[in-house]
Amino acid sequence: RGDRVEAERMLFEMVRAQVAPNAISFSSVLNACAKRGDLHATSLWLSRMNAASVSMEAVSHNVLIEVAGPVGDSNVALSTYRTMVRKDLVHDRPDITFNLLFGVA
């Protein structure tokens, strides 16, 4: 639904219940942040996902690139793309990643 605060609350509740968040849990929060166009929160949650050693695929990074487009933040988009290349994630669906990058240009 895109309710960032509710998605964050639910993830924190999982942690309090000693349930380790997984890629799906974090993706829910990332998508809620993205729906609001909140670049800072999306970036923060992607960093938290990485810090929690949750397996990240191209789709998690693509969310950040997608949010960077409407606000015109090419630095975030290109930095995220370079991270994806370094982690060998672009091969999954390079067409999606490049289409998102075109949206930032």
Side-chain angles (χ1 to χ4, degrees):
R1 295 181 341 194
D3 186 342
R4 179 184 63 86
V5 173
E6 183 64 15
E8 290 174 342
R9 187 194 64 72
M10 290 173 61
L11 192 129
F12 288 134
E13 187 62 34
M14 284 180 67
V15 172
R16 277 193 291 280
Q18 298 181 346
V19 176
N22 59 19
I24 295 170
S25 309
F26 276 102
S27 290
S28 296
V29 178
L30 285 173
N31 288 326
C33 294
K35 284 182 182 177
R36 294 186 52 94
D38 191 334
L39 181 61
H40 175 74
T42 306
S43 180
L44 176 67
W45 280 102
L46 190 65
S47 295
R48 287 177 176 169
M49 188 176 181
N50 187 48
S53 299
V54 172
S55 176
M56 296 191 300
E57 297 179 8
V59 67
S60 301
H61 290 82
N62 281 339
V63 169
L64 186 57
I65 294 172
E66 185 175 15
V67 175
V71 297
D73 197 328
S74 60
N75 290 331
V76 167
L78 291 173
S79 174
T80 303
Y81 170 72
R82 289 183 188 114
T83 297
M84 292 173 71
V85 169
R86 193 175 67 251
K87 293 181 176 185
D88 194 30
L89 297 175
V90 179
H91 66 84
D92 291 342
R93 286 291 309 269
D95 56 322
I96 294 172
T97 302
F98 284 108
N99 283 334
L100 293 170
L101 286 168
F102 285 130
V104 180

